């Protein structure tokens, strides 16, 4: 656990004053999930993705999502070779361990859909042939608020593929002053050294799956999920996939605390990141107040 904590501290020297968000991002990756970072431009969303990949020793590719992006730009394309009289496949940037889908909601739904199979199955099917993606495989997507010009809202089916959604927000005064006085973040990114190897991260993922969850804890998760399905305060409830995401994220959070069992406080810690994008909100953005209402309404068994 020392190495993953070293990685968290190293990322914290790049993204100042956001220790909780960094820990949530690491818990998401340990739980083998995908991460959506939504916020206004300029608060460090892309920098966080770069810093995570570099600190975890993972191969990294960035895809800048734009309105003219095509699925082949993400997945790759087969090109005919006159020399061999055969088609040769040229893999796209999706074939990497960490894929940054930068400003994912600026692409059309057709381009966004290129990520669906990759995120769910860790594979892509191109021209009838299924190709496995490298392991570990994570998609970290950044998203601008949908009120901004030139955005295409992600459909619910795409949002549900992200285990967590987090916001960075503006830094506090102390962190911002340190940011203004310090070195350029891009220069600091080039100085980052891997704190662990991909095999060690995969071992942590397997260890997280073995973290014990008691029957009482599962009762609590089910009570939270059932409340969203039966309460008039929510227009639609959480799916079984969301309940699984909550358990997996709670196990990863417990593992980051070097515990072999999960407790209700772990569920409460990760619940805002897991449910805010899965519960419809009136108006723009994700339902950021849903988690607080849910925790207040459902008592720990």
């Amino acid at each position: 656990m020392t190495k993953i904590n070293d990685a968290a501290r190293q990322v914290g020297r790049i993204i100042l004053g956001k220790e909780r968000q960094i820990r949530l991002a690491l818990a998401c990756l340990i739980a083998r999930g995908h991460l959506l970072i939504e916020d206004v431009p300029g608060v460090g969303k892309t920098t966080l993705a770069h810093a995570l990949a570099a600190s975890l020793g993972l191969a990294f590719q960035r895809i800048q999502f734009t309105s003219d992006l095509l699925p082949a730009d993400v997945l790759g394309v087969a090109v005919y070779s006159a020399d061999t009289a055969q088609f040769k496949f040229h893999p796209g940037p999706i074939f990497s361990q960490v894929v940054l889908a930068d400003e994912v909601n600026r692409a059309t739904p057709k381009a966004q859909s290129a990520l669906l199979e990759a995120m769910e199955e860790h594979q892509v099917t191109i021209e009838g042939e299924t190709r496995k993606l490298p392991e570990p495989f994570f998609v970290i997507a950044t998203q601008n608020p949908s009120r901004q010009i030139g955005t295409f809202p992600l459909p619910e089916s795409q949002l549900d593929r992200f285990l967590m959604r987090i916001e960075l927000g503006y830094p506090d005064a102390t962190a911002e002053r340190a940011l203004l006085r310090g070195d350029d973040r891009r220069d600091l990114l080039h100085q980052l050294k891997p704190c662990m190897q991909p095999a060690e991260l995969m071992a942590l993922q397997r260890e997280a799956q073995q973290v014990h969850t008691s029957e009482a804890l599962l009762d609590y998760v089910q009570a939270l999920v059932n409340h969203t399905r039966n309460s008039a305060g929510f227009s639609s409830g959480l799916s079984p996939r969301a309940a699984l995401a909550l358990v997996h994220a709670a196990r990863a959070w417990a593992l980051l605390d070097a515990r072999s069992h999960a407790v209700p406080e772990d569920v409460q810690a990760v619940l805002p990141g897991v449910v805010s994008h899965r519960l419809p909100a009136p108006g723009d953005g994700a339902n950021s107040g849903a988690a607080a209402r849910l925790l207040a309404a459902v008592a720990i068994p």
Side-chain angles (χ1 to χ4, degrees), residues 3-298:
K3 291 185 177 182
I4 195 71
N5 291 328
D6 289 343
R9 285 190 290 270
Q10 180 168 266
V11 176
R13 291 195 290 269
I14 304 293
I15 309 295
L16 302 178
K18 301 298 177 184
E19 287 77 13
R20 180 175 179 79
Q21 288 91 333
I22 292 169
R23 181 169 170 166
L24 282 169
L26 288 172
C28 181
L29 301 185
I30 291 173
R32 299 189 69 193
H34 304 289
L35 180 65
L36 177 64
I37 310 173
E38 180 176 355
D39 221 315
V40 296
V43 295
K45 303 186 298 294
T46 302
T47 304
L48 174 59
H50 276 279
L52 285 170
S55 298
L56 297 175
L58 301 173
F60 178 83
Q61 287 280 358
R62 173 181 175 175
I63 309 170
Q64 183 63 52
F65 276 62
T66 57
S67 59
D68 59 349
L69 188 77
L70 298 175
D73 298 327
V74 176
L75 305 178
V77 64
V79 177
Y80 182 77
S81 172
D83 295 335
T84 61
Q86 292 180 335
F87 282 92
K88 181 181 179 181
F89 178 69
H90 295 264
I94 196 72
F95 288 87
S96 188
Q97 292 172 320
V98 175
V99 177
L100 171 61
D102 209 8
E103 297 185 306
V104 65
N105 61 334
R106 290 199 179 278
T108 61
K110 182 177 182 179
Q112 292 174 9
S113 68
L115 293 173
L116 287 176
E117 183 184 7
M119 294 173 68
E120 187 68 19
E121 307 292 341
H122 289 200
Q123 66 183 31
V124 294
T125 302
I126 304 168
E127 297 184 0
E129 183 176 350
T130 299
R131 302 174 188 271
K132 289 289 185 182
L133 295 171
E135 291 289 346
F137 174 73
F138 307 120
V139 172
I140 301 177
T142 69
Q143 176 171 264
N144 294 329
S146 59
R147 65 178 178 274
Q148 294 192 346
I149 296 172
T151 58
F152 298 85
L154 293 179
E156 286 79 1
S157 60
Q158 179 98 33
L159 284 172
D160 200 44
R161 260 55 173 201
F162 291 99
L163 188 143
M164 278 192 198
R165 169 197 168 272
I166 63 173
E167 295 177 351
L168 291 181
Y170 297 115
D172 58 35
T174 303
E176 190 163 27
R177 180 60 62 90
L179 182 67
L180 295 173
R181 285 177 172 167
D183 295 328
D184 188 278
R185 299 296 105 178
R186 288 168 293 188
D187 294 335
L188 293 177
L189 281 173
H190 294 311
Q191 299 171 18
L192 293 181
K193 303 295 183 184
C195 296
M196 60 195 310
Q197 297 301 315
E200 294 172 308
L201 179 59
M202 294 174 69
L204 271 182
Q205 292 176 330
R206 292 190 293 270
E207 188 176 347
Q209 294 174 353
Q210 303 305 316
V211 170
H212 177 67
T213 50
S214 66
E215 292 299 319
L217 186 74
L218 297 181
D219 287 342
Y220 183 42
V221 171
Q222 284 193 292
L224 290 166
V225 171
N226 287 332
H227 183 77
T228 66
R229 298 170 182 172
N230 301 319
S231 171
F234 300 94
S235 59
S236 63
L238 293 171
S239 67
R241 180 189 285 161
L244 282 170
L246 198 52
V247 172
H248 292 162
R251 284 172 170 162
W253 192 266
L255 188 64
L256 287 172
D257 273 340
R259 282 184 282 106
S260 60
H261 63 283
V263 296
E265 287 75 14
D266 299 322
V267 175
Q268 294 173 339
V270 300
L271 186 132
V274 172
V275 308
S276 65
H277 59 297
R278 291 181 163 96
L279 296 173
D284 177 44
N287 201 350
S288 56
R293 298 202 312 272
L294 190 53
L295 290 176
V298 180

